[in-house]
Amino acid sequence: MSDEEQEQTIAEDLVVTKYKMGGDIANQALRLVVDAAKPGVSVLSLCEKGDAYIMAETGKVFKKEKEMKKGIAFPTSVSVNNCVCHFSPLKSDPDYTLKDGDLVKIDLGVHVDGFIANVAHSFSVGATKEIPITGRKADVIKAAHLCAEAALRLVKPGNQNTKVTEAWNKIAQSFKCTAIEGMLSHQLKQHVIDGEKTIIQNPTDQQRKDHEKAEFEVHEVYAVDVLISTGEGKARDGGQRTTIYKRDPSKQYGLKMKTSRTFFSEVERRFDAMPFTLRAFEDEAKARLGVVECAKHELLQPFSVLNEKEGEFVAQFKFTVLLMANGPHRITSGAFEPELYKSEYEVQDAELRTLLQSSASRKTQKKKKKKASKTAENATGQPTEDAEVAE
């Protein structure tokens, strides 16, 4: 990347604008897919719908800048119930049809000029205020939502990444749930979805030793990704086909097969270092063939489909946050409806209860006193009225 000497950050207004454009498109794509996720609808059709919307909308911005790369930063994935992440089937793969009561996680990403806005959201198909979800599904969705809300208040300049990890473990445990072991939330940079600073979930002793402690700094951007399980929190490769990959720019290899070379040059031309799906290739069969040698020699990193044990439920919430000089600014998130989920549990830790009741919006800091009585009712409930996605 030629412009590496002069890294562009959100200290520049134009960069913030590009992030917000991507964030708006990501939020709209998410809403579109959530609204379409009804009983009888296929997961493949939802993934195609999300990706098509992102491509169409990113095609409308910065039209005069012919050289500017923009589009999908993470292909639409729809992972159901005990499937943890990255389920985004090809036309030739076994599909899944949604059923009433399924716990659905939608994950997608958008970039404008390499500035990435990621989002993920969880909900239960067919839940209504009249018939809210109860039991373990409600527990895990509320736990994951509150973990995301806690992170929104903790990922700010001066705080350590370990503080977020600890809060997530405590909140998950309050709901008799477990954070998925070893999952990472990454710092985002231009064209880089997996920046060096990370927040780890539920690390093993070894991971805790190896994981870099880091302090959040002003003008950084993070994709904060929360994955909580009703089970023991171990995500395993379920044997389904991997369909999402990304280029590893640090690896070089002379590919032997012509199909692999053709496929790889198309990857480099169209996607650069962004994650992509094999669905995006005109000839899916050739893409399935071409990817094998590229993955074997680590030119491409796989995003494997991971699963928790059958019968468990996993919930995910992910948002992108810009650490602006005047406070954190969340640019992506789905519309969470707390009244649809009734759990018998709540956050026990007094410090975390106070944190969750505090305002996360920069605009509402001055109105905090007025809000105090209102948020007190919620105790550890849903502090969403103060933590809206900034316009």
Side-chain angles (χ1 to χ4, degrees), residues 1 69-70 72 111 113-114 190-192 245-249 264-276 299-300:
M1 198 165 74
K69 290 253 173 82
K70 50 196 199 274
I72 293 166
H111 79 97
D113 195 21
Q190 190 180 18
H191 305 296
V192 179
Y245 293 86
K246 79 175 262 304
R247 167 88 175 94
D248 182 344
F264 189 65
S265 64
E266 187 174 341
V267 168
E268 291 204 298
R269 189 182 79 250
R270 288 175 61 195
F271 308 112
D272 207 19
M274 292 292 170
F276 62 91
L299 292 176
L300 297 177

Side-chain angles (χ1 to χ4, degrees), residues 235-263:
R236 301 170 181 85
D237 192 324
Q240 293 112 310
R241 180 201 306 281
T242 299
T243 60
I244 300 173
Y245 293 86
K246 79 175 262 304
R247 167 88 175 94
D248 182 344
S250 68
K251 296 282 196 296
Q252 302 297 325
Y253 176 76
L255 293 161
K256 306 288 182 279
M257 284 169 61
K258 186 169 185 283
T259 322
S260 309
R261 291 197 298 273
T262 308
F263 168 78

Side-chain angles (χ1 to χ4, degrees), residues 49 113 356:
K49 188 184 278 279
D113 195 21
L356 287 163

Side-chain angles (χ1 to χ4, degrees), residues 33-248:
V33 178
V34 170
D35 290 348
K38 304 278 186 265
V41 172
S42 95
V43 161
L44 171 63
S45 73
L46 292 175
C47 294
E48 290 175 332
K49 188 184 278 279
D51 288 354
Y53 181 84
I54 294 168
M55 290 309 292
E57 292 303 308
T58 50
K60 296 174 188 172
V61 301
F62 289 104
K63 274 190 147 168
K64 289 181 181 152
E65 312 259 350
K66 298 285 180 236
E67 294 302 301
M68 186 188 284
K69 290 253 173 82
K70 50 196 199 274
I72 293 166
F74 198 86
T76 307
S77 306
V78 179
S79 308
V80 182
N81 295 331
N82 66 310
C83 181
V84 177
C85 53
H86 308 151
F87 186 67
S88 191
L90 308 183
K91 289 186 185 73
S92 51
D93 287 334
D95 200 354
Y96 180 87
T97 304
L98 295 184
K99 299 188 294 294
D100 213 30
D102 276 343
L103 194 166
V104 178
K105 297 166 287 296
I106 294 166
D107 187 4
L108 55 89
V110 177
H111 79 97
V112 174
D113 195 21
F115 296 106
I116 299 160
N118 287 333
V119 69
H121 188 67
S122 296
F123 60 97
S124 185
V125 176
T128 62
K129 289 170 191 171
E130 292 70 43
I131 318 163
I133 299 296
T134 57
R136 298 303 280 149
K137 269 184 237 172
D139 297 341
V140 77
I141 287 178
K142 288 198 92 154
H145 169 70
L146 289 171
C147 282
E149 289 296 323
L152 181 61
R153 291 154 173 77
L154 290 171
V155 178
K156 58 184 187 187
N159 274 0
Q160 296 273 340
N161 56 358
T162 48
K163 207 169 174 180
V164 185
T165 303
E166 286 161 22
W168 284 347
N169 272 350
K170 282 180 185 167
I171 293 170
Q173 284 160 14
S174 299
F175 287 84
K176 304 278 187 283
C177 292
T178 318
I180 298 278
E181 188 179 276
M183 287 285 178
L184 295 174
S185 295
H186 285 273
Q187 182 184 0
L188 301 174
K189 292 187 172 184
Q190 190 180 18
H191 305 296
V192 179
I193 204 160
D194 49 359
E196 65 264 29
K197 283 191 187 179
T198 57
I199 306 163
I200 194 166
Q201 275 198 171
N202 189 15
T204 61
D205 289 342
Q206 191 55 48
Q207 286 168 343
R208 197 182 295 275
K209 278 188 202 131
D210 297 344
H211 190 250
E212 293 277 327
K213 285 192 173 58
E215 188 177 292
F216 306 120
E217 292 175 54
V218 77
H219 296 145
E220 289 179 341
V221 180
Y222 287 86
V224 179
D225 193 5
V226 174
L227 283 147
I228 307 292
S229 166
T230 55
E232 54 187 42
K234 301 225 188 295
R236 301 170 181 85
D237 192 324
Q240 293 112 310
R241 180 201 306 281
T242 299
T243 60
I244 300 173
Y245 293 86
K246 79 175 262 304
R247 167 88 175 94
D248 182 344

Side-chain angles (χ1 to χ4, degrees), residues 274-306:
M274 292 292 170
F276 62 91
T277 164
L278 299 182
R279 253 196 331 274
F281 292 79
E282 210 168 312
D283 189 331
E284 223 172 72
K286 275 191 177 153
R288 288 203 322 259
L289 190 63
V291 76
V292 176
E293 191 184 4
C294 301
K296 185 182 172 189
H297 295 283
E298 297 178 354
L299 292 176
L300 297 177
Q301 295 171 341
F303 288 82
S304 307
V305 181
L306 299 176

